[in-house]
Amino acid sequence: QTGPAIALATAAEIAELDEEGQALAAELRQRGAQVTAAVWDDPGVAWTDFELVVVRSTWDYALRRDEFVAWVQGLCGSIANNADTLAWSTDKHYLLDLADHGVPIVPSTFIEPGQPSTHDLLKVEHVVKPAISAGSKDTLRLRPEEAERSIAHVESITASGRTALIQPYLPRIDTDGETALLYFDGQFSHAVCKAAILKPGAGLVDGLFAMEAITPRKPSEAELAVAEKALAAIPGGEVPLYARVDLLPSDDGPILLELELAEPSMFVPYAEGSVQRFADAILARVSNR
């Protein structure tokens, strides 16, 4: 008897999956599953052959999000996370929805195409990035004396038809780092500290993503509370197969930077048993379908 057919969706640049994806595939195969690394935009893939498609390292979707959303919607329920959740969480306007549900977020200003490129954060250190982005691509940390560079970067984003997102740079990330809390099937698994990666005066990221310095971390009760509140605010009440909640330290306590529900690294090498927990959650989804 053969086990379930599971696809781990990835990008063409990492067609064989990243290290984390390979560890997950190995764990699933050890348990009898038939696992395929499948490039999400490869027209030759027969997606209907799989009982479950798990979105993993599809990090090149950001410049083609409409195509990506059409792909996930075409998979008719055999995808995790589900299509509505993937569509919602790949556009950072979702931060406003979370704020409406009382989740403390990093203050966020959106500038849409056609709107003026000046903004209220020019007088403080801030970050400018596209509202649809992955891996810190097209993201700049800017100081007050770089107002012209900031406005030009906003203009370059909106001129390409994208929305720009501007947020204050919270200096405590430089000393305390960012906390990422990892969840499988709604259950907290582990947490890591991500050191600050945006350097003042630096250029844009080359390649698919920015390299990060990661260490294990025990989250505080306050961080766990914010993460749970964010997960509870996912539209439709979906309990995601996997979720990463990225929090920053602020003077008012932890606040949410991102709720990653599409293709986040889950940092399984930094927590013993986490790849097994991820596999457990995937196999449970398959058997419950």
Side-chain angles (χ1 to χ4, degrees):
Q1 186 170 349
T2 54
I6 296 167
L8 300 181
T10 186
E13 278 186 60
I14 33 174
E16 301 303 315
L17 300 169
D18 65 339
E19 209 173 304
E20 178 173 295
Q22 289 171 9
L24 178 60
E27 179 66 27
L28 288 165
R29 287 182 185 125
Q30 205 174 327
R31 307 210 202 168
Q34 303 169 72
V35 183
T36 303
V39 174
W40 73 270
D41 57 349
D42 178 353
V45 177
W47 297 104
T48 50
D49 290 351
F50 301 107
E51 289 170 63
L52 187 67
V53 177
V54 182
V55 176
R56 291 314 304 130
S57 37
T58 57
W59 298 325
D60 59 350
Y61 77 86
L63 293 174
R64 296 178 287 147
R65 178 175 166 271
D66 290 350
E67 188 185 328
F68 179 75
V69 169
W71 169 70
V72 302
Q73 288 171 337
L75 292 179
C76 304
S78 65
I79 189 162
N81 287 322
N82 78 30
D84 288 346
T85 294
L86 288 165
W88 175 75
S89 69
T90 47
D91 182 335
K92 291 181 180 64
H93 282 90
Y94 73 75
L95 291 167
L96 304 179
D97 296 338
L98 292 177
D100 287 344
H101 281 84
V103 178
I105 66 164
V106 176
S108 299
T109 299
F110 292 90
I111 298 182
E112 310 294 339
Q115 291 183 334
S117 301
T118 54
H119 54 84
D120 295 340
L121 290 173
L122 289 172
K123 294 182 178 63
V124 297
E125 193 166 21
H126 60 279
V127 174
V128 177
K129 58 188 172 187
I132 297 167
S133 64
S136 298
K137 291 283 285 176
D138 291 340
T139 299
L140 288 180
R141 171 180 170 181
L142 297 148
R143 293 161 296 194
E145 59 268 28
E146 296 177 286
E148 283 183 18
R149 188 179 183 211
S150 178
I151 291 167
H153 191 45
V154 171
E155 275 173 2
S156 75
I157 292 169
T158 56
S160 68
R162 296 179 291 169
T163 299
L165 168 58
I166 301 110
Q167 297 171 314
Y169 188 84
L170 303 180
R172 282 181 54 181
I173 188 179
D174 291 333
T175 50
D176 301 1
E178 176 181 327
T179 302
L181 296 92
L182 294 309
Y183 288 78
F184 298 120
D185 224 359
Q187 300 299 308
F188 173 72
S189 168
H190 58 289
V192 300
C193 171
K194 301 199 293 177
I197 55 174
L198 296 178
K199 303 287 184 261
L204 295 172
V205 169
D206 285 326
L208 274 180
F209 57 91
M211 296 302 288
E212 298 173 307
I214 309 294
T215 48
R217 168 172 277 181
K218 185 176 178 3
S220 67
E221 290 301 319
E223 288 172 328
L224 286 163
V226 172
E228 302 284 347
K229 194 166 197 175
L231 292 172
I234 296 171
E238 190 202 3
V239 176
L241 170 65
Y242 56 85
R244 194 179 91 204
V245 187
D246 292 343
L247 303 178
L248 295 183
S250 82
D251 294 341
D252 301 317
I255 55 177
L256 184 125
L257 175 66
E258 288 192 46
L259 176 56
E260 295 262 24
L261 301 171
E263 34 55 53
S265 294
M266 300 299 286
F267 304 124
V268 294
Y270 301 92
E272 203 175 327
S274 57
V275 74
Q276 288 81 10
R277 290 191 285 277
F278 200 174
D280 288 342
I282 290 170
L283 295 172
R285 283 292 163 108
V286 174
S287 64
N288 292 337
R289 287 196 64 231

